[in-house]
Amino acid sequence: MNDPRPPREEAALRGGVGEPVRHDSAHLHVSGEAAYTDDVLEARGTLHAAFGLSQRAHARIKSMNLAPVRAAPGVVAVLVAADIPGENNVGPILHDDPILAAAEVQFVGQPIFLVVAESVGAARRAARLGVVEYEDLPAVLTIEDALAKQSFVIPSVTLQRGGWQAALAAAPHRLKGGLRIGGQEQFYLEGQVAYAVPGEDGDVLVYSSTQHPGEVQLQVAHALGVEAHRVAVECRRMGGGFGGKETQASHPACATALAARATGRPVKLRYDRDDDITITGKRHDYLVEYDVGFDGAGRIAGIDLMFASRCGFSADLSGPVNDRTVMHADNTYYLPAVRIVSHRCKTNTQSNTAFRGFGGPQGMLAIEYVLDEIARALDCDPLAVRRANFYGPGRDVTPYDMRVEDFVADRLFDELAASSDYATRRAAIRKWNAASPIVKRGIAMTPVKFGISFTATFYNQAAALVHVYTDGSVLLNHGGTEMGQGLFTKVAQVVAHEFGVDLDHVRVSASDTARIPNASATAASSGSDLNGKAAQAAAAAIKARLVAFAAERFQVAPEAIRFAANRVEIGDVKWLKFGELVRLAYLARVQLWASGFYKTPKIHYDPKTLKGRPFYYFSYGAAVSEVAIDTLTGETRLLRADILHDAGRSLNPAIDLGQVEGGFIQGMGWLTTEELWWNESGRLMTHAPSTYKIPVASDVPVDFRVKLWERGENVEDSIHRSKAVGEPPLMLAISVFQAIKDAVASVSGYEGTAQLNAPATPEEVLRAVTAATKRSTAPV
Ligand code: MTE
Ligand code: HPA
Ligand code: MOS
């Protein structure tokens, strides 16, 4: 116990807060050993399920003949809506989303019946044998049609401030226009999957690939008509969620639990990729209209914005998603007089849901588009127009009445403009374009400001349960879920730091509703903020007991006890290994586990007026993208991207950098190649990678310079002053879209505007180039 102390350099801690340690499952990911829901060892007698899907966009079900399904080889049971003992619903807010459609179908792909069979193949083959007679009803398939018919899933919302009409009328310049913004399929690599194992006396354990085990637990309980304590939901990890498993994991989970109840056997349901894309909701696509008034420097005096989004057939999370669009339509810009109208359109298509950014990207793309158009109308550098509109002293209140107290986008802009050589390159590109008739280049720099917190204030809470075993090892349970973003690693680092032990002494348990009840979804980028604080509180409680015990045992002041580098220093003379102190404390009957709880302070928000302080703070970033477009084919390529992102004092710079890179590339996919296309019957035709193109490794720019902002620090008391990083970087990809727009503008010699819709697919770029060419050659 009184060993001489090792020299200082040996006393370093491995994997503490701020260290760029690898993802705790990295070795399992790359070796294929990481266990996903489909890898849970199947219990004896396991059955497999498949949904029978609606073939009509909107119809009354006249009759259903499922005899051929029941007669198919290997089929054990077939369930319809009437077989559900509890509530037939998976709608998270409104109860408008049936597990199995009963009298009416509302989109092509809606589940109508559930087949349970001895094998996956038998279930899927049998599911195609149902004979359903439909009586077609009028279907609403587009945003325009929904607007015309006033077809909404929830009422429209208007946010306004100041005399926007007068400001528009009095402004020296005015522009009106619109754009379309496409949706996006989450395309998690692991599809939706659940595995329900029945227990005794009506209990059920559901392994679910979900961002929100607590909600899945409640939905399963409601469907079965039992109390929540009979249902346990577990998720070790997801192979990606990206928002697509925030609510829509409930559907397969309820289906398997119902089938397990009906058959008394374990049941698994894994959507195949085509079914997954056909059944589940995506990022909302939008129609945007604007009317903006501005001065000669491009500074906005007043703006009127209209957003209409495709919500699909049910409300799902469309309310909060569209609210976030409204609350990000300012991005980094002060809008002195403003009206923002938001319509939540009901269409006979998949129920759109959360996707990284949660409506924020669409709001931000709209204002970035408007600023670009202003710059082109005034023939000045879009960068200067962006700067002129930045929040600043006396211009620091958002349209929803929150004061921006942590603005750093201007500093990020200055640093990135210099380090990326923006001005020189912009001039060089213009010169280059003048001499290049076919291939044109474009460049753009855009900022990101993203509000951190769930807009629904009550979701901003988290709990953790930390166990210290008598050998000094630590088991960390918290309510968050791991989907590849590195949450488990970051929260474990917080706990390791608190105890002063190496990271490998801290093991994170699977997410489990029996260990942590009522946990919020891991979403809104707030996983490490919320769970990090809760876990820190739990560890601190145990540490306080250990300190009190050691102070008494060794007769020193509590202040003289220090936890560092796997040992506990007792004053200046004595030290113990962490495990030794734990063992002594156990023998002295000290409680070695504790729970921790956290709720985000300062936030409040009125969902009716959209006013308040919905966000604890903002995360910021900036990106410069340079692209080339081929004016004959419409193809585009990102040549170089420079990114400076503010993750505050990063908990783990390696993981955070990965989030920035991945988010940016995913955003680029949204805005360039990923296109959802429904045919005239409302069938989504782009339901496989053959027709839906996500970015691949070769789309990463050859010259990719990504940095975390070294001076970043959260002004609020977040976990170790870090900042949430999961979603914000996706919106850095708006710079790619604006760079393509810049390249298109070169076709008309940078005269006037350059109308371009998202995604900027080759077809869309070609359309825009053709329009620009006609304009530049038209007689004046
Ligand atoms: N990163 C990976 N690898 N996989 C994912 O599914 N989801 C994103 C982001 N980064 C996701 C990801 C989304 S939509 C959110 S809200 C956050 O991670 C959630 O995790 P966090 O709150 O722990 O950042
Ligand atoms: N972000 C992400 N998910 C959510 C939110 C949010 O603001 N609100 C409810 N679910
Ligand atoms: Mo992320 S869209 O908040 O799951």
Side-chain angles (χ1 to χ4, degrees), residues 188 211 238-244 246 354-358 481-488 490 521-529 531 659 666 724-727:
Y188 23 64
Q211 294 173 236
M238 283 159 276
F242 303 111
E246 183 170 338
F355 192 146
R356 206 171 193 170
F358 204 77
T481 56
E482 177 65 43
M483 58 195 99
Q485 85 278 39
L487 172 67
F488 283 15
K490 285 164 58 165
T522 305
S525 301
S526 59
S528 29
D529 283 25
N531 296 290
Q659 287 290 297
Q666 191 169 43
V725 73
E727 296 166 284

Side-chain angles (χ1 to χ4, degrees), residues 60-65 131-135:
R60 203 172 64 77
I61 297 177
K62 277 169 71 182
S63 71
M64 209 161 24
N65 178 8
V131 183
V132 182
E133 225 189 320
Y134 301 96
E135 179 188 317

Side-chain angles (χ1 to χ4, degrees), residues 134 218 391 575 685:
Y134 301 96
L218 286 176
Y391 281 109
W575 66 266
M685 301 304 284

Side-chain angles (χ1 to χ4, degrees), residues 25-36 39 237:
S25 300
H27 59 297
L28 304 176
H29 294 155
V30 297
S31 65
E33 287 175 276
Y36 298 88
D39 300 316
R237 61 170 63 76

Side-chain angles (χ1 to χ4, degrees), residues 191-447:
Q192 301 276 359
V193 53
Y195 180 43
V197 181
E200 66 169 30
D201 205 14
D203 286 358
V204 63
L205 166 61
V206 184
Y207 297 94
S208 166
S209 180
T210 173
Q211 294 173 236
H212 199 172
E215 183 167 283
V216 170
Q217 176 198 24
L218 286 176
Q219 301 281 27
V220 167
H222 293 157
L224 294 176
V226 302
E227 288 187 288
H229 60 203
R230 288 201 177 275
V231 181
V233 175
E234 187 180 314
C235 177
R236 173 74 247 180
R237 61 170 63 76
M238 283 159 276
F242 303 111
K245 295 171 182 170
E246 183 170 338
T247 60
Q248 303 209 355
S250 295
H251 213 158
C254 288
T256 55
L258 288 164
R261 161 68 67 86
T263 59
R265 289 166 66 177
V267 179
K268 189 192 283 189
L269 172 51
R270 178 170 54 76
Y271 298 174
D272 80 2
R273 183 63 63 179
D274 299 84
D275 280 359
D276 198 314
I277 300 183
T278 301
I279 296 169
T280 65
K282 297 141 207 337
R283 184 189 295 291
H284 295 61
D285 51 314
Y286 278 69
L287 188 68
V288 183
E289 286 168 7
Y290 61 86
D291 183 353
V292 62
F294 50 97
D295 67 14
R299 196 176 258 209
I300 292 175
I303 185 164
D304 186 14
L305 281 162
M306 190 284 295
F307 290 95
S309 76
R310 176 204 297 269
C311 298
F313 80 98
S314 72
D316 190 86
L317 294 171
S318 291
V321 165
N322 282 272
D323 288 353
R324 195 171 270 271
T325 300
V326 171
M327 289 186 287
H328 284 77
D330 58 334
N331 195 17
T332 50
Y333 312 112
Y334 179 62
L335 306 176
V338 52
R339 178 173 75 162
I340 308 172
V341 178
S342 163
H343 299 298
R344 295 97 198 269
C345 298
K346 177 171 175 160
T347 51
N348 290 106
T349 49
Q350 295 80 0
S351 188
N352 283 338
T353 189
F355 192 146
R356 206 171 193 170
F358 204 77
Q362 296 94 320
M364 278 164 56
L365 179 62
I367 193 70
E368 291 301 335
Y369 192 96
V370 170
L371 287 178
D372 190 79
E373 289 292 274
I374 291 174
R376 297 195 188 279
L378 295 173
D379 195 19
C380 52
D381 187 343
L383 185 90
V385 171
R386 292 196 162 95
R387 260 192 232 274
N389 284 286
F390 271 168
Y391 281 109
R395 296 166 41 92
D396 59 355
V397 180
T398 66
Y400 47 92
D401 279 359
M402 172 169 171
R403 193 172 294 281
V404 182
E405 292 164 339
D406 58 3
F407 197 71
V408 294
D410 47 354
R411 291 163 66 194
L412 291 175
F413 244 46
D414 288 346
E415 285 184 33
L416 188 64
S419 69
S420 69
D421 220 6
Y422 170 85
T424 318
R425 286 166 62 204
R426 180 168 184 267
I429 286 169
R430 295 195 153 211
K431 234 183 181 166
W432 191 90
N433 282 341
S436 174
I438 308 296
V439 175
K440 300 286 186 183
R441 292 192 176 187
I443 190 168
M445 174 154 167
T446 58

